[in-house]
Amino acid sequence: MRKVQQAKILEMLETLREAHDEVRKQRELEAMNNLLADCQAFALHIGQYIEAIEGEGTKTVLLLEEYCEIAFEVSLATDKAKQIKKLQSKLLDICDSVKSELNPKRIEIVFFPYQRSMWDSFESVYLAAKADPACDVYVVPIPWFEKFPDGTLGKMNCDASQYPSNIEITSWLEYDPEERQPDIIFIHNPYDAGNLVTSVHPNFYCERLHTCTYLLCYIPYFVSGDVVEPHFCVTPGCIYAHKTILESEKIRDDYIRVFTKTYGNLYGNPKNKFIALGSPKYDKVLSMQKEDCNLPAAWAELLENADGTRKKTILFNSSISEMLKNDERYLAKIREVLEIFKKHNDVVLWWRPHPLSEQTYESMRHELLAEYRKIIAEYKNERYGIYDDTPDLHRAIALSEGYFGDWSSVVYLYSKTEKPVVIRGYESTDTPFTLSFHSVCDHDGVYWGIDTSFNALFKINKTSLTASFVTFLSSEPRKPPAYAQTTCVANKLFFTPRAGNFFMIYDIDSDTQTDIQIQPPQNRKNYDDSRKFYQVATWEDAIFFFGDSFPGIVKINAITHEVTYYEDIFPENKGIGHTRGLIQHGSVVTTIHKSSQSIISVDLRTMDVKKQVQLNFYPKSFSKKEQFCVELCEANGSYYSSLVNGNTILKIGKEDNSFTTIDIPPKLTGKEHNHMAVACGGWIWFVPVLKDVPIRLNPATDEVTLACDLLPCKAAQSQEGENLTGYMGPFDVHEDGFVCIERSTSMLVVCNADQTAHRQGMITLDDAQRIEMAIGEILRGNASEEREGNIAGKQPVAGAKIFNYLTQAIRS
């Protein structure tokens, strides 16, 4: 007996119980006896239903026969109330017998996959079911239709012949779910007639299958990662499935929220309907081994070097969503990618478009179909890469060294391999790809700097602001942003390590890198590995890295690369913190020590540290949070720093250590303090790091005014300081000016000594170089042995959890 049949019997018994209530209410003998006769007839019908399924001789049918006898006795009795209690007691015995005797001894499960390429959303559940000897498992690939642009059904397809030999396939013509009444039906196509490109056969719409089983279970054919688009949460699959299995609690919460907002409890309690048990698609990624993969001979030949070694492979994934958003530009960008990979003999492109790409062009972008087919034909004919339109996505994931392509659910799957992922952009020519730098240095007429996203070194033309890719920082392939400041000494670039684990040095003359492993401090009490150093100073042929959380200074000789550690030399044996602004006179450097809130000086010749000023001036009206100073600059014999409260500047006399507070006019105060202070041209600029108001201070008068030219373009007219963006920098500071980079636009802003600032333009990277960078990023980030060791320790779990959860509901 199936669970749905057992549930139907229990529903019929509940109808009998309700009839008993009606018998009790009756006052007329004839009406009461008619109801009892109906109860007898209905009990006989239930017995016949059970015998049709289970055969004769069940205890439950015997109890139903006894029930009928009692019902007859009640109709003859004068004291019917007492006899009705006997009838009710017998009904309870029957219900208990149905739950025990007729509980399913075997469970029938059927999978209705639609496209072979989406089988991975079922596979680990299927394997768990096959391993249970009490389960009868069927895989029934269902037919599907391509749709014409007007929505009518076109060619019918069925992928039954494409499944691996270890999966026993049943024809859809031989399995009628309405007749079989399986305990659990699994689906992964939730759209019924709602998909614009394809449709499963109407016999297998969710609305119909819902009535043919005890549990209709929908497992999405995709994974969502962190965010799911709302329309996925209200498909027919979500409406009619008894259970929708989701990959995480975060995604479950999104489904519940959207579904509840749309339907409330109309189709059941959403909290019971949506269950987070993981995705079998992740199971497939974790379980797939290279040894499991077979390659066609032509592909294997492409992947082999002349010396017999295997070439690196990059998976190029093109998606439907980007195709529909970008139209002709999408095809042009694909051509560009193919042309660049065509020139690479050291790497093979493995192009795998979405399985429904051609059908989508046919249905929704018919005018572009011929060009798309032409691109594919040329790529296949020239045979410099693999074109993969097979259903087996996981072979491509297992055998490639990295992912390059569109943002899609494949990205979430690929990320489980811990191999590099680079997302392809489709920006138009009028919105070029921009780079963002924490710091650049001016050397030899160009800017040099590390982009914050890639840990890649660029040199930037100071006039055109076009960036040229130089190299990746080889020892830090997967940890951006690993480095902060870029400093040049002795024609070498030194990069300040934040999360990075090395002091990185790039020799401009020889185009070579040197990496020096950072020695962790002996005192690790306040050491944070993600913010080791921040500020730097130079003296003679050496560079000095001031610890942020590192409790001291590290000196590197720029010529010999000799490294000297000076630990526990700062107050409280702590680093200076994320402070901004080193003031240097000869070998003496002055800065703020954040944790002790003091101004300290360091003599770089002797490494003597002195506390110059204790910042203990604070009025009692200031809260503790308002007291911090984090940046420092110098002008007219005084130090200046703004306070964290955002509306006060502190002035400290260098000679007498006197404190003066300068109030910032209310209309110029920001909601939070986060400025960088820089003295230039007789003025002090306070440049916002995040959303705050840019201001200038005249040290001669202590007057504070708005730095209008540092307002973003749209906000400049109002001068109210709303919706402001922050800046990277300042850098390239000298008496005549400095430059900084606007975070939101990558616009380089030049600030002059005459109190003006102008936007020079965006730092951009041409698309061809961006693709070359992606290739390099993937190839350098492929630490295969370590990664595969990590993956080997992860066991697929979702399939077993889903199977156990659902079958427990059947067996209980």
Side-chain angles (χ1 to χ4, degrees):
M1 178 166 290
R2 299 283 167 251
K3 188 70 174 180
V4 67
Q5 294 166 330
Q6 183 196 41
K8 182 177 180 181
I9 293 168
L10 291 170
E11 286 179 8
M12 289 190 285
L13 293 175
E14 175 61 19
T15 302
L16 276 180
R17 189 199 63 76
E18 293 171 357
H20 293 176
D21 293 340
E22 290 299 319
V23 171
R24 289 194 189 94
K25 294 176 183 178
Q26 293 299 325
R27 294 292 177 265
E28 295 183 4
L29 182 61
E30 182 178 0
M32 184 180 291
N33 287 337
N34 287 339
L35 276 173
L36 288 169
D38 290 341
C39 288
Q40 284 180 287
F42 196 50
L44 287 172
H45 170 72
I46 295 172
Q48 291 167 356
Y49 179 74
I50 293 171
E51 287 183 335
I53 299 169
E54 295 288 305
E56 297 181 354
T58 63
K59 176 185 174 182
T60 306
V61 172
L62 178 62
L63 291 171
L64 283 163
E65 290 171 353
E66 293 173 359
Y67 172 91
C68 290
E69 292 174 4
I70 295 172
F72 179 70
E73 291 173 3
V74 173
S75 67
L76 300 177
T78 54
D79 184 5
K80 295 186 185 297
K82 184 176 181 180
Q83 296 297 323
I84 290 174
K85 287 182 179 179
K86 289 174 62 178
L87 197 65
Q88 183 63 27
S89 178
K90 182 60 65 175
L91 184 61
L92 292 174
D93 292 341
I94 295 168
C95 290
D96 290 341
S97 181
V98 170
K99 291 175 183 178
S100 57
E101 181 186 42
L102 301 185
N103 201 44
K105 304 299 185 295
R106 300 188 62 79
I107 295 177
E108 181 164 319
I109 298 174
V110 61
F111 295 85
F112 285 137
Y114 137 70
Q115 290 228 340
R116 162 65 181 89
S117 61
M118 300 172 186
W119 171 248
D120 60 344
S121 61
F122 288 160
E123 184 173 85
S124 62
V125 185
Y126 166 79
L127 294 174
K130 286 292 288 183
D132 189 330
C135 281
D136 299 316
V137 185
Y138 297 86
V139 177
V140 184
I142 60 178
W144 56 279
F145 297 88
E146 299 173 18
K147 278 189 171 183
F148 292 117
D150 64 358
T152 57
L153 300 182
K155 175 186 174 184
M156 189 178 83
N157 304 273
C158 187
D159 294 0
S161 63
Q162 300 179 25
Y163 285 76
S165 58
N166 66 324
I167 299 176
E168 186 177 345
I169 299 299
T170 300
S171 169
W172 68 279
L173 295 171
E174 298 173 3
Y175 193 99
D176 183 352
E178 191 168 22
E179 177 185 330
R180 301 284 305 211
Q181 295 285 296
D183 297 295
I184 306 174
I185 292 176
F186 285 98
I187 58 169
H188 61 201
N189 183 302
Y191 300 114
D192 286 359
N195 193 321
L196 298 176
V197 179
T198 64
S199 170
V200 299
H201 194 291
N203 283 357
F204 299 94
Y205 281 175
C206 311
E207 185 175 7
R208 176 175 183 255
L209 295 179
H210 171 86
T211 65
C212 301
T213 182
Y214 182 74
L215 281 179
L216 178 62
C217 179
Y218 163 47
I219 302 179
Y221 63 90
F222 57 91
V223 289
S224 301
D226 298 323
V227 179
V228 63
E229 294 188 28
H231 68 270
F232 286 122
C233 307
V234 290
T235 59
C238 295
I239 291 172
Y240 294 109
H242 300 97
K243 300 293 180 184
T244 294
I245 308 300
L246 301 169
E247 65 199 86
S248 69
E249 290 293 342
K250 167 67 172 63
I251 296 301
R252 174 178 179 261
D253 290 344
D254 289 344
Y255 270 81
I256 291 172
R257 175 178 48 79
V258 175
F259 194 89
T260 303
K261 183 178 179 181
T262 307
Y263 296 115
N265 291 327
L266 183 62
Y267 295 100
N269 186 340
K271 291 184 178 180
N272 296 331
K273 178 185 283 285
F274 299 106
I275 309 297
L277 295 173
S279 172
K281 295 178 78 70
Y282 290 133
D283 286 352
K284 182 65 175 177
V285 171
L286 295 174
S287 64
M288 192 74 173
Q289 303 295 320
K290 289 183 177 180
E291 298 76 29
D292 301 330
C293 304
N294 295 317
L295 283 176
W299 293 11
E301 184 180 338
L302 274 174
L303 293 175
E304 191 171 304
N305 285 307
D307 61 2
T309 58
R310 188 178 175 278
K311 291 182 179 179
K312 301 288 188 181
T313 307
I314 293 178
L315 173 59
F316 175 45
N317 173 55
S318 52
S319 71
I320 286 178
S321 59
E322 291 292 348
M323 178 192 83
L324 293 175
K325 283 192 292 187
N326 292 282
D327 295 337
E328 293 91 346
R329 185 167 68 245
Y330 184 82
L331 296 178
K333 295 290 186 179
I334 285 183
R335 279 197 177 278
E336 183 177 36
V337 171
L338 300 183
E339 284 299 316
I340 289 173
F341 274 91
K342 184 178 179 180
K343 301 170 186 175
H344 273 270
N345 294 322
D346 57 336
V347 63
V348 173
L349 185 69
W350 190 313
W351 181 17
R352 183 178 171 81
H354 188 284
L356 293 177
S357 293
E358 192 157 343
Q359 288 94 333
T360 304
Y361 272 113
E362 178 76 48
S363 177
M364 302 178 69
R365 296 292 188 273
H366 190 74
E367 70 281 6
L368 302 176
L369 178 60
E371 174 65 10
Y372 179 66
R373 286 174 171 167
K374 183 180 178 182
I375 291 172
I376 294 173
E378 291 173 357
Y379 178 68
K380 287 181 176 180
N381 290 337
E382 296 187 37
R383 297 193 72 253
Y384 57 86
I386 293 170
Y387 181 77
D388 183 1
D389 58 358
T390 70
D392 194 354
L393 164 66
H394 293 276
R395 174 175 56 183
I397 292 177
L399 294 180
S400 57
E401 274 67 47
Y403 175 99
F404 174 71
D406 299 345
W407 189 271
S408 75
S409 65
V410 179
V411 172
Y412 299 115
L413 295 176
Y414 207 93
S415 65
K416 294 294 182 181
T417 69
E418 300 184 11
K419 293 187 283 191
V421 172
V422 177
I423 304 303
R424 175 78 173 103
Y426 292 91
E427 295 83 1
S428 61
T429 53
D430 56 341
T431 56
F433 181 73
T434 58
L435 296 169
S436 179
F437 296 87
H438 191 288
S439 160
V440 298
C441 70
D442 183 358
H443 177 73
D444 221 10
V446 297
Y447 288 132
W448 298 79
I450 299 291
D451 177 80
T452 56
S453 300
F454 298 105
N455 283 336
L457 175 63
F458 293 86
K459 61 180 180 180
I460 305 155
N461 184 296
K462 294 180 70 172
T463 303
S464 65
L465 297 186
T466 54
S468 299
F469 170 66
V470 179
T471 186
F472 289 106
L473 298 191
S474 57
S475 296
E476 302 287 353
R478 305 297 304 156
K479 216 175 183 181
Y483 293 89
Q485 316 297 335
T486 302
T487 309
C488 187
V489 183
N491 224 36
K492 296 176 183 177
L493 300 175
F494 292 78
F495 310 106
T496 307
R498 295 288 288 157
N501 294 315
F502 299 86
F503 294 108
M504 299 296 300
I505 307 167
Y506 175 75
D507 190 314
I508 296 173
D509 294 331
S510 63
D511 187 26
T512 57
Q513 290 186 54
T514 301
D515 53 5
I516 302 172
Q517 182 84 42
I518 296 173
Q519 173 184 308
Q522 295 185 11
N523 174 17
R524 297 196 183 194
K525 182 178 180 181
N526 300 295
Y527 182 61
D528 182 348
D529 191 58
S530 67
R531 53 179 192 89
K532 299 178 179 71
F533 301 90
Y534 187 66
Q535 294 284 17
V536 294
T538 62
W539 174 248
E540 295 180 337
D541 289 330
I543 183 167
F544 298 80
F545 297 91
F546 280 61
D548 178 346
S549 71
F550 186 92
I553 294 175
V554 176
K555 171 186 175 182
I556 299 180
N557 186 294
I559 308 301
T560 65
H561 296 177
E562 179 186 1
V563 183
T564 308
Y565 287 81
Y566 300 92
E567 292 188 30
D568 298 335
I569 62 173
F570 294 137
E572 303 178 3
N573 295 331
K574 295 180 180 179
I576 64 173
H578 191 66
T579 56
R580 295 179 284 269
L582 297 185
I583 301 168
Q584 186 167 358
H585 295 290
S587 65
V588 178
V589 173
T590 304
T591 188
I592 285 179
H593 186 262
K594 184 177 178 182
S595 63
S596 68
Q597 277 297 282
S598 59
I599 297 175
I600 62 172
S601 64
V602 183
D603 191 325
L604 301 179
R605 292 176 301 178
T606 63
M607 301 309 294
D608 289 335
V609 176
K610 295 180 181 179
K611 183 184 286 190
Q612 290 191 335
V613 182
Q614 180 66 47
L615 304 178
N616 58 0
F617 73 98
Y618 305 110
K620 292 182 179 180
S621 59
F622 282 18
S623 71
K624 213 170 186 181
K625 290 184 179 179
E626 293 176 312
Q627 295 176 6
F628 291 114
C629 299
V630 292
E631 82 287 318
L632 190 70
C633 65
E634 177 186 18
N636 283 12
S638 296
Y639 296 124
Y640 290 85
S641 179
S642 62
L643 297 186
V644 80
N645 67 2
N647 56 26
T648 306
I649 294 173
L650 174 62
K651 178 180 180 180
I652 307 122
K654 289 182 63 176
E655 296 298 326
D656 58 7
N657 292 346
S658 60
F659 295 107
T660 305
T661 55
I662 302 169
D663 291 332
I664 301 172
K667 67 177 182 180
L668 303 182
T669 58
K671 294 182 180 179
E672 59 178 304
H673 160 74
N674 217 318
H675 281 104
M676 302 167 287
V678 57
C680 173
W683 285 76
I684 297 175
W685 299 65
F686 290 92
V687 182
V689 176
L690 298 173
K691 294 182 178 180
D692 213 325
V693 182
I695 56 177
R696 278 192 299 260
L697 181 144
N698 184 343
T701 63
D702 288 341
E703 180 187 9
V704 179
T705 56
L706 180 69
C708 297
D709 295 324
L710 279 181
L711 288 169
C713 299
K714 293 182 179 178
Q717 293 180 352
S718 68
Q719 299 184 6
E720 294 296 331
E722 297 177 357
N723 301 317
L724 302 186
T725 185
Y727 292 86
M728 295 285 203
F731 39 78
D732 194 16
V733 180
H734 46 81
E735 183 60 27
D736 294 329
F738 63 92
V739 296
C740 52
I741 297 175
E742 193 174 62
R743 289 175 181 268
S744 61
T745 63
S746 293
M747 190 78 69
L748 187 129
V749 181
V750 179
C751 303
N752 303 308
D754 63 359
Q755 308 169 44
T756 62
H758 68 275
R759 285 165 171 74
Q760 185 173 326
M762 290 186 292
I763 301 175
T764 61
L765 183 70
D766 71 60
D767 212 45
Q769 281 213 20
R770 187 183 178 196
I771 297 171
E772 291 286 357
M773 272 189 61
I775 296 171
E777 171 75 357
I778 289 170
L779 296 183
R780 80 190 180 96
N782 183 43
S784 58
E785 290 185 8
E786 178 183 353
R787 182 190 64 252
E788 289 175 8
N790 292 339
I791 293 299
K794 297 180 180 179
Q795 297 298 320
V797 295
K801 285 174 65 177
I802 294 167
F803 173 75
N804 291 334
Y805 176 86
L806 295 175
T807 52
Q808 185 177 3
I810 300 297
R811 289 170 171 145
S812 61

